[in-house]
Amino acid sequence: MKPLDGVIVVDFTRVLAGPTCTRVLVELGASVTKIEPPAGDMARAGWPVIDKHSGYYLQLNGGKRNLCIDLNWPEARKIVFELCAKADVIAENYRPGTMESFGLDYDAVAAINPRVVYVSMTGYGQDSPWSGRPAFAPTVQAESGATATHLAHYGKNLTKPVNDSSSHADLYTGLQGAIAALAGLNERAQTGKGTHADVSMIATMLSVNERIHGQINELENADDEPWALSAPESPIFELADGALVTIVTSPVWSTSFVRFCTMMGRNDLRADQRFLTPELRRKNFSDLMEEVQGWIRTFRTFEELEVQVSGGGGLAIGKIRTPIEVLDTEWAIAMKPTYEVAIGEQTIRLPKGPWRFNGRDTGALPLASMQGADNREVLREIGISESSIDELYKLGILHELSE
């Protein structure tokens, strides 16, 4: 049994933020039916491709049934409305007004299903002055201050401005959408009524910025101390064998500087005129890094170094690995964080959900469905006959893409 067994989700999401939300729900045991238009979810165009399947799409949509139906037809809207009438959760990440144009907005559905928990994920919210703007992770990260923070952090180390490597705004919003769904289900258990959760990418990015308290209040760090606990400034060092490691926190931070000195057995550095204050440590940062780097190169192995870093300095160290290298570690071999699915003649690995309940993980998900693969099964469940389903195919209302 999984925590969300028995929860029925109708999924109108596409690309990344919304599918991340419903991926969490299906991993936790919910029954998720994805409503996909004939043109297809844009994520299906993502590379790399494995035997005609987008790996990007597969990672986000495993375990979800697929109903491929053209909502421009009134017959299609009637069918999907019936599905919504029986849903516990509806998730969507269309631009505001789109679901209303189909007659599938919260007010319409709640009128016949008042217990529904309806989660809308958009760039800028349902009714803000920016509601109509298109939104993707890079643009929302730019508008929310995240990109400015990223650029300021790297400063002169960048030869030209570049965006972050990950779609944080989409991924965090998907997680916040899943949290909203769970919160709504808990509220419903107490009140008997559902709710409409409006989750915007821009508000999400503000909420997850650990520096925002200083930025929006224009606070200054005394003596040029690093922000917060200095984790984003954690330096990277090279071992004798060429491997890279990072030690948590910056030695510029006064608290951490003492620990670095203790870790190295170099308390003389605390009296060094070059390193007396955070401002001086920044000014002479190259010299400070040379002291630490030289000490690190005296260790033969990462394991030996970790003992001294954690035991001698009370700091944490991590070896910089590629994702595939992570899966070869003793941690991954013991914890089994991925599962395998067969695609044609190939087998690929995909990540499991990160939770372990009573020592058990949430397991593997079935391979993401092709467009329309579950059309008949889904429609039979709401009492539509085989002959009527055949007619819907003939009219072009239902679509199905074969392997």
Side-chain angles (χ1 to χ4, degrees):
M1 181 175 180
K2 294 185 179 182
L4 294 185
D5 279 356
V7 173
I8 298 171
V9 179
V10 178
D11 177 4
F12 293 93
T13 71
R14 70 269 198 279
V15 193
L16 182 52
T20 296
C21 168
T22 52
R23 172 188 165 189
V24 169
L25 300 180
V26 78
E27 285 173 333
L28 290 172
S31 173
V32 177
T33 300
K34 183 181 178 80
I35 310 300
E36 188 170 3
D41 183 339
M42 186 189 298
R44 290 191 185 273
W47 287 85
V49 171
I50 309 105
D51 194 28
K52 300 181 181 179
H53 293 263
S54 162
Y56 184 66
Y57 185 88
L58 294 177
Q59 179 174 330
L60 294 164
N61 292 282
K64 304 172 186 179
R65 298 193 300 176
N66 190 287
L67 173 63
C68 188
I69 192 166
D70 188 349
L71 291 175
N72 292 303
W73 289 74
E75 295 90 339
R77 296 194 291 273
K78 181 180 178 182
I79 289 168
V80 173
F81 195 79
E82 286 188 50
L83 293 174
C84 291
K86 298 178 180 180
D88 295 299
V89 176
I90 293 172
E92 61 94 7
N93 65 331
Y94 283 105
R95 221 182 285 186
T98 301
M99 294 297 284
E100 184 178 7
S101 72
F102 292 134
L104 297 167
D105 55 296
Y106 172 71
D107 289 339
V109 174
I112 53 96
N113 182 3
R115 290 174 54 82
V116 72
V117 175
Y118 196 110
V119 180
S120 295
M121 291 158 281
T122 59
Y124 303 104
Q126 293 295 301
D127 54 8
S128 81
W130 288 0
S131 290
R133 295 181 64 185
F136 288 86
T139 58
V140 175
Q141 286 164 207
E143 293 284 9
S144 65
T147 302
T149 299
H150 164 81
L151 294 175
H153 175 71
Y154 289 105
K156 294 178 181 178
N157 291 317
L158 292 176
T159 57
K160 63 179 180 179
V162 292
N163 275 309
D164 198 290
S165 62
S166 295
S167 299
H168 300 290
D170 280 320
L171 295 166
Y172 292 157
T173 300
L175 295 176
Q176 295 290 358
I179 291 169
L182 298 176
L185 290 171
N186 185 64
E187 181 182 24
R188 186 183 75 178
Q190 299 175 64
T191 67
K193 294 181 180 179
T195 191
H196 184 198
D198 176 7
V199 184
S200 75
M201 294 166 71
I202 192 167
T204 293
M205 289 307 294
L206 291 173
S207 75
V208 299
N209 179 356
E210 76 262 40
R211 303 184 185 192
I212 199 167
H213 60 282
Q215 293 170 325
I216 62 177
N217 293 296
E218 298 184 321
L219 303 179
E220 302 213 357
N221 294 344
D223 301 321
D224 212 12
E225 290 276 18
W227 282 94
L229 300 179
S230 82
E233 294 188 37
S234 299
I236 293 174
F237 301 100
E238 186 175 354
L239 301 183
D241 64 3
L244 298 178
V245 299
T246 187
I247 297 177
V248 73
T249 75
S250 169
V252 170
W253 182 32
S254 296
T255 301
S256 185
F257 176 63
V258 173
R259 293 193 175 197
F260 268 80
C261 293
T262 302
M263 170 186 79
M264 296 188 293
R266 291 291 309 277
N267 283 324
D268 60 295
L269 295 177
R270 296 171 65 180
D272 192 309
Q273 295 297 310
R274 297 171 297 169
F275 309 136
L276 291 178
T277 68
E279 186 176 11
L280 286 170
R281 289 192 288 275
R282 284 196 189 279
K283 181 180 178 181
N284 300 293
F285 191 70
S286 294
D287 292 347
L288 180 55
M289 289 299 96
E290 284 180 15
E291 296 282 2
V292 182
Q293 181 65 79
W295 175 78
I296 284 174
R297 284 211 172 99
T298 65
F299 290 85
R300 293 174 299 175
T301 67
F302 170 79
E303 290 73 20
E304 289 178 358
L305 175 61
E306 183 171 34
V307 170
Q308 186 60 30
V309 170
S310 59
L315 297 169
I317 186 172
K319 192 172 185 179
I320 295 176
R321 310 175 195 267
T322 65
I324 200 165
E325 287 171 344
V326 176
L327 298 185
D328 288 332
T329 63
E330 60 181 355
W331 173 84
I333 293 168
M335 303 307 291
K336 299 178 174 59
T338 63
Y339 63 95
E340 294 185 345
V341 289
I343 305 174
E345 296 181 357
Q346 298 185 58
T347 298
I348 66 167
R349 293 182 288 187
L350 292 172
K352 296 177 184 175
W355 321 274
R356 294 178 72 86
F357 297 100
N358 293 326
R360 297 180 62 183
D361 63 38
T362 52
L365 294 175
L367 182 67
S369 294
M370 297 288 285
Q371 280 180 267
D374 307 295
N375 286 351
R376 291 186 181 274
E377 177 183 308
V378 172
L379 297 192
R380 286 190 204 108
E381 289 177 2
I382 56 173
I384 298 179
S385 67
E386 290 294 331
S387 60
S388 296
I389 293 173
D390 291 339
E391 185 63 23
L392 291 168
Y393 273 109
K394 289 178 183 177
L395 291 170
I397 297 172
L398 286 178
H399 290 253
E400 186 172 342
L401 185 64
S402 59
E403 292 282 353

